[in-house]
Every structure is written in structure tokens, then in C-alpha cells.
Amino acid sequence: MCDDYPPPFVTIHLQGFLAPMEEVLLQQEKQQQLEQLREQMMIKVLPVIQQIVEEETNETVLDMYYDWNFRKNKKCSGMVWISLDISPKQLNKFSWPKELNENMFRREVIALSKKAQKEPDETNLYWLNPRLILVERIGIFVEIENALIEQNYGETLKL
């Protein structure tokens, strides 16, 4: 990565992040209620995280995304991805390791996307560190998903 600019992404990996009430829902196999509870929590927490990131980086937060992995009898884990509003030139500054073939990796991501949904309109890869690759897939929704989003069922799809 180039040192001329601050990094355009902030990632937060959370492990063992499960409140007692959430643990009860998980044990009772009430996945949907657990996800709804976590969604409500994130609505309150994200603005606080945004403020901290903006103060620490002196940059504007562009987007924030998150995902959770709830597994019974295992540690709950999650990721928060934050995209900073930094020059697009910087996105080309991520160097892909020479021993890995970026084009082959991209083709594999596209093949897996086709299996699950459809081929993305655009696939961007960002090598953030030796343990983390950010894959941005743009235009992956099929027609029914787009129709559901237009009918305000986006939250249902997210869950």
C-alpha cells in the first residue's frame, strides 16, 4: 500500500460479541429476532462509530457496512467495514502480492457469484492486508430482489 494517503478503508473485526439477551435468542434458535435486535443496535451504534472514525482519521465516512456470524456454542463474530471519502486514485495504490494471481481470484469470485445470484456488473478487489481482501460486487441483485427493494422490502432482504 502507498504511504502517500491514509487508507480508504477501516475494518473492525469483532469476536465474542454477544449480549446475554442475544445469547438466549440464539440458544432458543430465534435467528430472525436475534438479527432484528442486532439491526436495531447497529442503528444506534453506527453514528457513534462514524464520529470516532472521522475524529481519528480527519476524513469523512462515505459508507458503513456490517455482517454477523451467529453460531450456537461458538463465538459470535462480526465485521464492520467503513469506506472513507478519499480520492479514487488511492484505490489503485493497493499492491496485490506477486505470488497470487489477481485475475484468477477475480474469475473465481465471479463464478461463485453466478452460482449464488448472478455475475456482478462490476467486481473490485482490494488487498487490505495478508489476512483481508475486500471484494466489492456491484450489480448482483436479480430482478425479483430489485422489485422487492422498490416495494420497500429491503430490510427483509437484508435479514
Side-chain angles (χ1 to χ4, degrees), residues 71-86:
R71 295 176 296 181
K72 198 166 21 170
N73 302 323
K74 301 273 184 173
K75 286 186 175 180
C76 172
S77 63
M79 290 285 296
V80 178
W81 296 269
I82 301 165
S83 175
L84 301 177
D85 189 13
I86 296 177

Side-chain angles (χ1 to χ4, degrees), residues 7-12 63-67 79-84 91 94-97 102 105-106 109 122-138:
F9 304 110
V10 175
T11 56
I12 303 168
D63 291 305
M64 298 176 76
Y65 305 96
Y66 54 89
D67 194 19
M79 290 285 296
V80 178
W81 296 269
I82 301 165
S83 175
L84 301 177
L91 296 179
F94 289 91
S95 45
W96 197 266
E102 182 178 358
F105 187 87
R106 182 185 316 279
V109 167
E122 186 178 338
T123 302
N124 300 308
L125 306 173
Y126 306 102
W127 183 271
L128 301 182
N129 67 47
R131 295 182 52 192
L132 190 59
I133 299 170
L134 177 64
V135 177
E136 179 184 35
R137 298 179 306 147
I138 298 171

Side-chain angles (χ1 to χ4, degrees), residues 19 25 27 60 111 129 137:
L25 291 172
Q27 294 300 325
T60 302
N129 67 47
R137 298 179 306 147

Side-chain angles (χ1 to χ4, degrees), residues 144-157:
I144 191 163
E145 290 169 318
N146 286 324
L148 287 169
I149 290 168
E150 287 176 18
Q151 295 297 316
N152 295 321
Y153 288 98
E155 285 303 312
T156 302
L157 279 174

